[in-house]
Amino acid sequence: MAFTNHNGPRPDTAQCYSKLNAAGDALYVIGGKWRLRIIIALSDGKRRFNEIQRAISGISARVLSNELKELEINGFVTRKVYTDFPVSIEYELTPYSDTLSPVIESLIEWGEMHRQRIMQGEPATAALEETL
Amino acid sequence: MAFTNHNGPRPDTAQCYSKLNAAGDALYVIGGKWRLRIIIALSDGKRRFNEIQRAISGISARVLSNELKELEINGFVTRKVYTDFPVSIEYELTPYSDTLSPVIESLIEWGEMHRQRIMQGEPATAALEETL
DNA sequence: CGGGATCCCATTTGATACTG
DNA sequence: CAGTATCAAATGGGATCCCG
């Protein structure tokens, strides 16, 4: 009964807090510049370290290495070592990563829309300079 | 005709790249720890600076100030000064922010699901310690 | 209340070189 | 190829003080 609306800030405040927490939890594990992009890069199948690095422009080997470890710890990615000759190592998404599909798809869709908007000169954003 | 699949890495590589770029564009403007959370905090109406700060646990005044400016520049938020006495300042989402709904909702939903999973002890994640 | 300015530390990152 | 080691540089972010 913590939140009765006797006249406090707003009745929906509690709901908003729970949303903020949920978003915080999500961002904790998949936030940051690279995480989602790595998952996207792996989304059409196994890939090797250098393949991933080439796919994601701007990421360094060190950062990629660290992020892959984190993603593995959190159950999004598995690392497999194939001992056939020559030895190769491949990263692959786990089924748990699939639960991110709605997030990733909506993000990509929004990104495409946003790019269109920027290219039509809507706001004064120097944003996409580098990408263009 | 850049990508004919004469035998390259994979035929869907080009598509994957465009997804990665779209995601990159999106993350460029709404990435980071705070952006989306601020938008969520404003999603049920105008709010004042200190209200927002209280809603988002862990954010400092300086960071909030900077993020709000960025969000304003990029067209997600408007800052309104009410000159009635006493003067008050309120932040409000623009209609453009509404286009983020699918992203935000899927993120929140995933976050809730993820939390459940963590609390059942699935992976060895020390992740949510602080939130709990 | 709504911030801006400053200081200062900690973490992140980039670049480069190196290794099994 | 798949990373690791190391150092320098950039960035982030807290603390504090201040102002209108």
Side-chain angles (χ1 to χ4, degrees), chain B residues 30-50:
Chain B
I30 59 170
K33 274 191 209 156
W34 307 113
R35 303 263 166 92
L36 282 179
R37 282 197 263 189
I38 293 170
I39 292 176
I40 293 169
L42 288 171
S43 64
D44 38 61
K46 311 164 184 284
R47 294 223 169 188
R48 310 182 61 170
F49 190 90
N50 284 343

Side-chain angles (χ1 to χ4, degrees), chain A residues 23-93:
Chain A
D25 294 346
L27 293 172
Y28 187 89
V29 284
I30 58 169
K33 274 192 209 156
W34 307 112
R35 303 263 166 93
L36 283 179
R37 282 198 263 189
I38 293 170
I39 291 176
I40 293 169
L42 288 171
S43 63
D44 37 62
K46 310 165 186 281
R47 292 219 171 195
R48 311 179 65 170
F49 189 89
N50 285 344
E51 287 182 308
I52 303 172
Q53 192 181 0
R54 275 189 297 271
I56 302 175
S57 89
I59 197 169
S60 72
R62 192 177 50 127
V63 171
L64 177 56
S65 175
N66 290 336
E67 295 292 344
L68 282 170
K69 277 176 198 160
E70 278 299 305
L71 288 171
E72 204 184 343
I73 289 172
N74 288 330
F76 295 105
V77 163
T78 54
R79 184 188 125 117
K80 286 182 184 163
V81 181
Y82 296 91
T83 53
D84 329 293
F85 188 79
V87 173
S88 80
I89 299 173
E90 293 191 330
Y91 292 90
E92 191 176 10
L93 295 184

Side-chain angles (χ1 to χ4, degrees), chain A residues 88-125:
Chain A
S88 80
I89 299 173
E90 293 191 330
Y91 292 90
E92 191 176 10
L93 295 184
T94 64
Y96 191 54
S97 283
D98 295 341
T99 65
L100 284 170
S101 293
V103 177
I104 288 175
E105 276 161 28
S106 58
L107 187 77
I108 290 172
E109 201 167 335
W110 189 88
E112 285 163 353
M113 182 275 281
H114 180 65
R115 177 183 216 117
Q116 294 295 90
R117 190 205 188 218
I118 295 296
M119 298 212 305
Q120 281 156 29
E122 289 289 352
T125 311

